[in-house]
Amino acid sequence: MKIIDKIMKSLVYHLTDKPKQYVHVDKPKSLQDYRQVQYNKWCKAKSVYNGSYLPSNPDILTKSGKKGWYETKGSKDGKIRNFKRKSSGQTVRYDGETDKQIAHYHWNNPNPTIRNLKLQTKYLDRYGNPCTERDDSHHLAPLDKNCPKKALKRYSK
């Protein structure tokens, strides 16, 4: 069985394109999806942070130059931090923990849509699909876990 698995992995590898970033795949339906799953497993094994697979501590992104991230700008109090990936230009925003929300990330959409002079699809969900700011699916928990919706809701005092 191991030989067949190696042959299948090799076929998938040679017949598909390399994914540009980590995108979560629940059930692979095509060869490209299988390649994405292979890439995702490799990212986790090698601690290559990209897409919705990001560390709990955002300082890890910039500690080592080989990780490929640098910090761009953020809020003065340090609760909101922005990071950019050198190789792909991908950007993420880290929102620190407050009394109203848990710490989480937002994966910025490189091609947002604009309607009526308003940004409509500012973020991507963990599957790489554009979503609106009102949709909770753009909140990404560290290390590709599901964010509990209750913890992300902003309560008014």
Side-chain angles (χ1 to χ4, degrees):
M1 286 305 269
K2 290 184 180 182
I3 294 173
I4 294 173
D5 288 340
K6 285 185 179 183
I7 292 170
M8 289 303 294
K9 286 180 182 178
S10 178
L11 278 172
V12 167
Y13 183 82
H14 290 291
L15 295 175
T16 56
D17 296 326
K18 179 183 175 187
K20 291 184 177 134
Q21 70 265 346
Y22 182 103
V23 175
H24 188 81
V25 176
D26 287 326
K27 293 180 183 178
K29 295 175 183 155
S30 67
L31 283 179
Q32 190 63 43
D33 287 347
Y34 280 103
R35 176 73 183 269
Q36 186 71 50
V37 170
Q38 285 178 355
Y39 181 72
N40 294 351
K41 287 179 183 176
W42 179 84
C43 287
K44 286 183 179 181
K46 301 289 183 185
S47 295
V48 175
Y49 300 109
N50 46 32
S52 58
Y53 176 61
L54 294 160
S56 305
N57 181 0
D59 293 330
I60 293 172
L61 289 174
T62 57
K63 272 188 183 173
S64 172
K66 68 179 185 177
K67 299 288 185 208
W69 291 87
Y70 62 93
E71 193 163 356
T72 55
K73 60 180 179 174
S75 64
K76 290 181 183 178
D77 62 0
K79 293 286 184 189
I80 296 174
R81 299 171 67 186
N82 294 303
F83 298 93
K84 189 168 189 169
R85 190 158 181 236
K86 294 174 186 174
S87 62
S88 64
Q90 178 182 21
T91 58
V92 294
R93 186 180 94 197
Y94 175 79
D95 291 352
E97 192 163 339
T98 64
D99 57 339
K100 297 178 185 178
Q101 67 186 15
I102 63 169
H104 63 281
Y105 288 92
H106 297 276
W107 182 7
N108 293 334
N109 187 354
N111 300 314
T113 58
I114 299 172
R115 289 195 186 120
N116 299 332
L117 301 176
K118 277 185 114 177
L119 223 56
Q120 294 293 315
T121 56
K122 186 176 180 178
Y123 302 112
L124 299 175
D125 64 7
R126 68 190 203 142
Y127 301 102
N129 301 322
C131 57
T132 63
E133 217 171 306
R134 292 182 180 185
D135 187 5
D136 275 341
S137 64
H138 65 84
H139 293 101
L140 306 172
L143 299 177
D144 199 33
K145 294 177 185 169
N146 287 324
C147 269
K149 287 186 181 179
K150 278 192 228 174
L152 293 172
K153 287 187 180 175
R154 297 187 170 130
Y155 300 104
S156 58
K157 290 186 174 184

